[in-house]
Amino acid sequence: MPPSRGDHQVKPGRGGVRRPLTRALPLAPSLVLLLLFLAGPIAYCAYIAFTDLQLTGQAHSSFVGFDNFTAAFRDDAFLNAVWLTLVFTVLSSLIGQNTLGLALAALMQRASKTVRTVTGAVVVCAWVLPEVVAGFLLYAFFRREGTLNAILDWLHLPTQNWLFTLPILAVSFANVWRGTAFSMLVYSAALGEIPKEITEAAEMDGAGGWRRMWHITLPMIRRSIGTNLMLNTLQTLSVFGLIWVMTRGGPGNRSQTLPLFMYEQAFQKSMIGYGTAVALLLLVVGSLFSLVYMRLLRSEA
Amino acid sequence: MSSPRTVRHRLAADAGLLVVAAAFVLPLAWVVLSALDPHANLQVKIPDGVTLDNFDAVLTPDITFTPLLNSLLLCGGATLLTVASAALAAYPLSRYRSRFNNPFLATVLFATCLPITAIMVPVYALFVQVNLIDTMQGTIFFFAASQLPFAIWLMKNFMDGVPKELEEAAWTDGASSFQSLIRIVLPLMGPGVAVVTVFSFVMMWGNFFVPFMLLLTPEQMPASVSINDFFGNRGTVVYGQLAAFSIIYSTPVILLYVLVARRFGGGFALGGAVKG
């Protein structure tokens, strides 16, 4: 590593000679781990996505160019997974987690302390639970003989087998249940930083609750909204365990989002090359969101 | 002091929050009530008699102790590796100025956001080729690497908060930078190290997909994967036992979260993620 610039510190250790290499040495363990176990697989991903690698007979894979990708875009099951991923992300992350999180944070500003603490604890508890446990709890909630139907029955409303009739809706609700705490915490922090004088002045001028929210609060926390939306979306794009536990992507493939489709192609159908092509697409979409997120952070600084 | 109007607003806010809280609490109530219920099914209901039989039934080496021990080995090992590597890496990033710092940190931030789920298939294929598949150490290494970007990022931000003057004094006394990191910087950022440690551990403890892909033999499975056995291999599902196991498996992370959140405020893990 070339010598560092603009460095005017007292050099620790022997002699006071500049030793940029020794200085960079503490980075070595992290660099090795990141290169071998993260950058390596990503590069390998970019490579095998262009091969016809299969689970059996791995020695004989060959380079097939963009075949996996063209095949994907002609594959109804893939397009179905793209659509469901879109539905899942929009419903649970953009609308559900984000709006509910903001609403909770806004209500918490006014609520009494006890209610605030209790609600916060319950919502955060859903967030802290391991993914699979959350999956089971929501599975029990949505099953035909589960809690939701028991409540609907008690209210004399029609019941359904939710996991069968509306599986993507059920897993989206599960993701809202599990992920809202993050948005709630982000927005609570953001709302807490708005100076009281501003909202009070608006109130004096006769702006009602909704107008204050729309014209003052939301513009002031727009950066938090941006970063929160990015992080929620990235989180939601990679949800696997929750859906796996609740529906396995089924019935049929009616809740099969891209991660589950990728898993099925690679392992249940043994087409690693094809599955990886899907993974690469997911990775590219994730990278784009990640870049936007970094952009938002930079504009904030 | 409070006008009737603010009281009315407060009551409305309280009511709104309580409705949401009630909806959120139902699934949680199921797991607690069912674990104590000798005749648990899938509904939230008051147990027809409280019993600890469900806990008794799952507290066997096969169902609980081995998977939890595996989880502990896996997550503990990976957390140690993550925290140690991140602390070392954060030091030059925080202390020395170099033209490589910003690109490196940008890459790390970028990697923080990548969907790790997407690379599990190639990781599996790679692990098969280098004979790391179905090994604890391979899984530990991957876990550590996947958590490392966020850990470095957090650790660097916390380390920036430790003033340099104390170190400079130690350097004039002849301490090496490694000694000053261990003796001065890390102790001063104790809360920060605790946050990184707990956060890494909690993330891995709950992770299902990584061990599900990289481990094959049932004896090595951590609790996040073995919990599936309640559905697959054991025939009819005993919901009370599933609930009891869920509670045993979730308790450590909830306790850790409460411990850290108590000391460092609610959104402890968000400091680095959202503020940048």
Side-chain angles (χ1 to χ4, degrees):
Chain A
M1 203 172 272
S4 50
R5 259 186 325 195
D7 195 340
H8 305 292
Q9 285 157 1
V10 186
K11 164 69 185 143
R14 288 157 293 174
V17 188
R18 284 176 163 227
R19 284 205 201 84
L21 252 181
T22 345
R23 287 181 170 190
L25 203 61
L27 280 171
S30 293
L31 271 179
V32 170
L33 275 173
L34 289 174
L35 286 177
L36 283 183
F37 292 96
L38 221 52
I42 291 174
Y44 193 56
C45 177
Y47 167 69
I48 49 179
F50 294 94
T51 69
D52 59 357
L53 187 64
Q54 304 218 340
L55 210 52
T56 44
Q58 297 211 347
H60 305 295
S61 73
S62 57
F63 195 73
V64 295
F66 283 94
D67 281 8
N68 287 325
F69 296 94
T70 44
F73 284 101
R74 281 198 207 112
D75 183 352
D76 285 341
F78 170 77
L79 297 175
N80 170 66
V82 171
W83 168 245
L84 289 178
T85 308
L86 212 65
V87 172
F88 181 62
T89 311
V90 170
L91 274 185
S92 66
S93 152
L94 290 181
I95 300 177
Q97 294 176 357
N98 186 57
T99 317
L100 186 59
L102 181 59
L104 287 174
L107 287 175
M108 281 179 164
Q109 300 273 307
R110 294 188 160 170
S112 59
K113 189 160 185 289
T114 331
V115 174
R116 198 166 57 213
T117 317
V118 169
T119 313
V122 169
V123 175
V124 167
C125 192
W127 182 51
V128 179
L129 281 184
E131 192 179 11
V132 180
V133 172
F136 281 132
L137 298 194
L138 274 303
Y139 170 83
F141 185 75
F142 281 112
R143 270 296 295 255
R144 188 202 289 275
E145 57 278 42
T147 306
L148 179 59
N149 278 344
I151 294 172
L152 290 175
D153 206 34
W154 183 68
L155 293 171
H156 298 291
L157 290 171
T159 61
Q160 347 207 356
N161 190 355
W162 299 99
L163 293 173
F164 189 80
T165 49
L166 292 163
I168 193 69
L169 201 64
V171 294
S172 298
F173 268 109
N175 195 39
V176 173
W177 185 80
R178 186 171 142 73
T180 297
F182 183 81
S183 306
M184 183 186 82
L185 293 170
V186 169
Y187 288 135
S188 290
L191 292 179
E193 279 173 16
I194 295 181
K196 275 235 157 35
E197 298 81 53
I198 295 181
T199 39
E200 276 166 11
E203 206 163 354
M204 295 291 233
D205 293 342
W210 289 112
R211 286 186 57 189
R212 277 207 307 279
M213 190 72 176
W214 191 252
H215 290 290
I216 297 167
T217 314
L218 287 182
M220 288 196 75
I221 60 168
R222 65 178 189 282
R223 289 198 175 110
S224 299
I225 297 175
T227 48
N228 182 56
L229 281 178
M230 286 303 127
L231 292 174
N232 275 348
T233 305
L234 285 162
Q235 196 70 45
T236 301
L237 271 182
S238 56
V239 168
F240 180 88
L242 193 67
I243 303 180
W244 179 257
V245 169
M246 286 180 71
T247 66
R248 304 265 138 125
N253 55 10
R254 286 195 290 135
S255 61
Q256 192 181 50
T257 55
L258 280 171
L260 283 105
F261 177 74
M262 166 196 95
Y263 176 80
E264 187 193 68
Q265 294 305 316
F267 293 101
Q268 279 150 7
K269 301 196 174 154
S270 303
M271 298 194 285
I272 298 243
Y274 187 51
T276 307
V278 176
L280 191 62
L281 290 172
L282 201 58
L283 209 55
V284 169
V285 174
S287 309
L288 292 177
F289 275 101
S290 196
L291 286 174
V292 175
Y293 168 66
M294 288 170 71
R295 246 340 231 287
L296 283 169
L297 279 187
R298 190 171 310 162
S299 66
E300 194 170 359
Chain B
M1 228 174 84
S2 29
S3 70
R5 207 170 137 195
T6 49
V7 171
R8 213 171 59 231
H9 279 162
R10 196 177 65 220
L11 288 177
D14 283 357
L17 286 181
L18 285 175
V19 168
V20 178
F24 267 74
V25 94
L26 281 171
L28 294 170
W30 177 77
V31 77
V32 176
L33 295 174
S34 301
L36 300 170
D37 190 339
H39 309 292
N41 59 18
L42 283 167
Q43 278 172 28
V44 177
K45 61 180 171 69
I46 305 300
D48 21 330
V50 173
T51 172
L52 290 177
D53 287 355
N54 290 324
F55 286 94
D56 261 354
V58 295
L59 282 174
T60 65
D62 213 24
I63 302 179
T64 299
F65 299 124
T66 312
L68 281 188
L69 192 67
N70 289 338
S71 285
L72 195 65
L73 264 173
L74 216 55
C75 308
T79 303
L80 272 180
L81 201 58
T82 308
V83 173
S85 315
L88 284 172
Y91 189 75
L93 292 172
S94 168
R95 266 26 192 176
Y96 306 129
R97 267 178 290 163
S98 148
R99 70 181 120 152
F100 291 102
N101 281 3
N102 284 334
F104 185 81
L105 282 168
T107 314
V108 161
L109 181 61
F110 176 73
T112 303
C113 297
L114 286 183
I116 294 296
T117 304
I119 61 168
M120 288 320 292
V121 174
V123 168
Y124 174 88
L126 202 62
F127 269 36
V128 168
Q129 295 205 335
V130 295
N131 272 330
L132 275 175
I133 202 73
D134 201 25
T135 60
M136 279 299 215
Q137 67 270 31
T139 314
I140 287 176
F141 281 131
F142 180 74
F143 249 151
S146 69
Q147 205 55 52
L148 204 48
F150 192 61
I152 294 177
W153 186 258
L154 267 186
M155 197 73 97
K156 193 251 171 198
N157 282 350
F158 283 122
M159 207 175 272
D160 285 345
V162 177
K164 263 183 203 158
E165 288 73 25
L166 292 159
E167 264 172 288
E168 281 165 2
W171 291 342
T172 39
D173 289 343
S176 71
S177 43
F178 184 70
Q179 283 169 324
S180 68
L181 171 68
I182 301 287
R183 300 254 172 84
I184 296 166
V185 183
L186 288 180
L188 282 175
M189 52 179 281
V193 177
V195 167
V196 179
T197 309
V198 167
F199 185 81
S200 306
F201 189 84
V202 168
M203 290 307 283
M204 296 187 228
W205 186 266
N207 190 301
F208 164 74
F209 204 28
V210 172
F212 178 66
M213 293 286 286
L214 300 183
L215 295 174
L216 307 171
T217 31
E219 293 73 38
Q220 297 202 76
M221 289 300 177
S224 57
V225 183
S226 76
I227 193 172
N228 258 322
D229 293 351
F230 281 96
F231 275 76
N233 308 334
R234 290 177 220 276
T236 49
V237 187
V238 186
Y239 290 108
Q241 295 185 12
L242 174 63
F245 181 76
S246 298
I247 289 180
I248 296 169
Y249 163 47
S250 307
T251 305
V253 286
I254 292 180
L255 286 181
L256 279 175
Y257 181 87
V258 170
L259 206 76
V260 172
R262 267 264 170 91
R263 282 198 57 189
F264 312 116
F268 69 89
L270 306 174
V274 183
K275 288 198 180 146

